[in-house]
Structure formats: C-alpha cells, structure tokens
Amino acid sequence: MTGKIEKEIEIKKLNLFYGDFKAINDCSLDFYKNKVSAIIGPSGCGKSTLLRSINRMNDFVDSFSIKGEVLFEKRNIYLKGYNVISLRKKVGMVFQKPNPFPKSIYKNISWAPEINKFEGDIDELVENSLKDAALWEEVKHRLDDSALSLSGGQQQRLCIARAIAMKPQVILMDEPCSALDPQSTSKVEDLIKKLKKKYTIVIVTHNMQQAARISDFTAFLYNGDLIEFGVTENIFTNPGNKQTEDYITGRFG
C-alpha cells in the first residue's frame, strides 16, 4: 500500500525536547497524501508534541528544541530562514477544544483570507468552506450571528471550515472530538473521511475505536518512542509488536 502512494510529510530521526526533558525519541515515519493518519498512545506519550512539530507550533514554547528533520514539500521545515507563515497556511490546525473567534460565523471564515490578501470572491470562499465542513445548511441563514452561539459540535466544524478557507494541503487535528458529545463526534468523523479526498489529515486521538474507524494509517507512541506504524487494519488486527497488542487490547494505558 505504501509503495503506491505519495508521501506528504517525512519525519526523519526526530528528537524533540522541552528543556532537558526528551518528549520524542528518534522518531521516523511518513504521512501520506490524501490519507488519514492517526497517532495513538497513553496520555503524556508525546502525541501532541509530535503533531505540533509538523507546523512548528512548538516554537511558541520557550524551552522547546529539536534534532532531526521534518520534510514538507521535500524541504526541512526547521532549516534556518524557512518561511513559517507560509508553512502554517499550507498545514492548518484544529485544536482539542473548539476555539472560534468572538466574531460572526462569516467573519470566522473570511478574516484570515482577507488579511492574507485573498483576491477571489470572499462570499464564495465562505460558502464553499462551510460546505466542505458540512456546516453550510445549518448556518447559511445566520452568518451574521456570533460563532459563540453555535453548539460545541458546530463550533468545531466551524474551526475546520476556518482551516479549510486557507486552502491548506494538510490539516492537523489534536483530539478534535474529545470535548464533543457522541452525535457531534460522529459528524466530525464522517467529515474527516470526506475531507481526505482533498487534504492530508493527521489526527491525534485518545480513542482507539475512533482511530480504527477513520484512519488509513496508525502510529502508536509510548513514552516518546514510536513503537509501531502501519496500515490501521494491520495495527488493530495483527500488530507486529507485543507492546502495541497490549495497548490496543487494554492491558495497559
């Protein structure tokens, strides 16, 4: 399977540190174009740190440092002089808790493209972004309402639409359903399956059933080590590592 698909992101011998603490240890793996890759593992194993390294969100932590490479478009994004603003346009992020701007639904989508000098039809961009996020039919008559008036599940889909509006290649999702009820979770999961036709998606999830339902590939992390990475079906039905088997069968974690 991996031989027939294109690599979107290549991680090579990645070591990530917060001060003297090593959060990720010598990790190498690839994320594939138009596929959903899930990162699983117990709390504190380095999942979010690994995810945030892909668009350099860890740069905001003063004690953070890195050894190794993260390649996007065949370039190491940690090279001196790399355009981080351009990177974050192409590699969008959806956080654990919905974080809409305290603005209208419309402005949540239009604001970033406008300040980045988007030259197309902004109304069309807003509509298409909301349609791609499966939210248009629910909000098309109330675009001037505050985004904070939406339900939690709607707010999370709005945040996905906001990321889509920047025309990214990759969408990172850090436990996007952990604050949602089961019905809203189901809607977001259905959305993720549709979005991979246009985007590469990397999702951190604490929910192994969710990883099994929505991802094509799964990475299992434990104490900063990449224990196993492969096709999701194989990871969950025939893992190659005893530690992986113990984790997905609930023996620990």
Side-chain angles (χ1 to χ4, degrees):
M1 186 172 180
T2 56
K4 299 177 183 178
I5 53 179
E6 184 180 343
K7 295 176 183 178
E8 185 87 74
I9 296 158
E10 299 173 67
I11 293 176
K12 298 185 175 182
K13 296 186 176 180
L14 190 66
N15 295 272
L16 303 178
F17 303 84
Y18 297 115
D20 294 330
F21 174 70
K22 195 174 194 180
I24 294 292
N25 180 46
D26 208 34
C27 177
S28 295
L29 76 161
D30 300 322
F31 296 121
Y32 297 100
K33 192 174 181 66
N34 298 116
K35 301 294 180 185
V36 179
S37 297
I39 304 172
I40 64 170
S43 296
C45 70
K47 301 188 297 294
S48 292
T49 296
L50 177 60
L51 186 78
R52 288 163 181 255
S53 72
I54 299 171
N55 70 344
R56 292 187 53 170
M57 290 295 290
N58 293 320
D59 289 11
F60 296 109
V61 181
D62 289 339
S63 62
F64 174 74
S65 62
I66 174 174
K67 292 179 182 176
E69 296 181 316
V70 178
L71 302 183
F72 174 62
E73 298 177 326
K74 307 299 182 185
R75 289 190 63 212
N76 180 10
I77 67 173
Y78 285 92
L79 286 175
K80 188 175 181 180
Y82 190 93
N83 189 332
V84 180
I85 294 172
S86 175
L87 172 71
R88 293 188 185 133
K89 289 179 186 175
K90 294 179 179 180
V91 183
M93 185 118 189
V94 176
F95 295 93
Q96 183 172 359
K97 291 184 179 178
N99 61 341
F101 302 139
K103 301 174 183 290
S104 69
I105 295 167
Y106 184 98
K107 271 293 181 186
N108 263 267
I109 307 300
S110 67
W111 184 70
E114 285 173 341
I115 64 171
N116 282 280
K117 299 181 172 58
F118 177 74
E119 295 180 352
D121 184 325
I122 199 73
D123 288 342
E124 185 179 0
L125 178 69
V126 170
E127 180 175 343
N128 288 340
S129 300
L130 288 167
K131 282 180 175 177
D132 277 356
L135 191 57
W136 174 250
E137 291 300 324
E138 296 170 45
V139 303
K140 63 183 179 182
H141 299 303
R142 49 184 295 206
L143 295 177
D144 292 330
D145 289 3
S146 169
L148 302 178
S149 69
L150 298 173
S151 69
Q154 289 173 324
Q155 286 185 18
Q156 192 64 300
R157 281 182 284 144
L158 180 67
C159 292
I160 293 170
R162 191 173 67 192
I164 289 169
M166 293 303 293
K167 306 292 186 185
Q169 293 169 225
V170 180
I171 302 175
L172 310 177
M173 297 185 173
D174 193 356
E175 299 199 24
C177 301
S178 65
L180 305 183
D181 61 79
Q183 186 176 11
S184 296
T185 294
S186 180
K187 286 184 178 181
V188 172
E189 288 184 1
D190 289 343
L191 175 57
I192 289 170
K193 292 175 191 174
K194 293 174 184 173
L195 288 175
K196 74 175 182 179
K197 295 174 183 176
K198 295 183 179 180
Y199 311 97
T200 298
I201 298 174
V202 184
I203 177 171
V204 163
T205 178
H206 67 282
N207 185 326
M208 285 182 284
Q209 290 76 25
Q210 182 175 75
R213 285 192 297 265
I214 66 171
S215 70
D216 301 290
F217 294 88
T218 296
F220 169 50
L221 289 185
Y222 185 71
N223 284 348
D225 292 319
L226 177 63
I227 304 302
E228 190 166 352
F229 175 75
V231 175
T232 294
E233 184 179 1
N234 295 342
I235 293 287
F236 281 90
T237 61
N238 189 28
N241 187 287
K242 178 69 162 57
Q243 208 168 2
T244 309
E245 182 180 357
D246 287 348
Y247 181 69
I248 63 176
T249 55
R251 293 194 181 101
F252 76 95

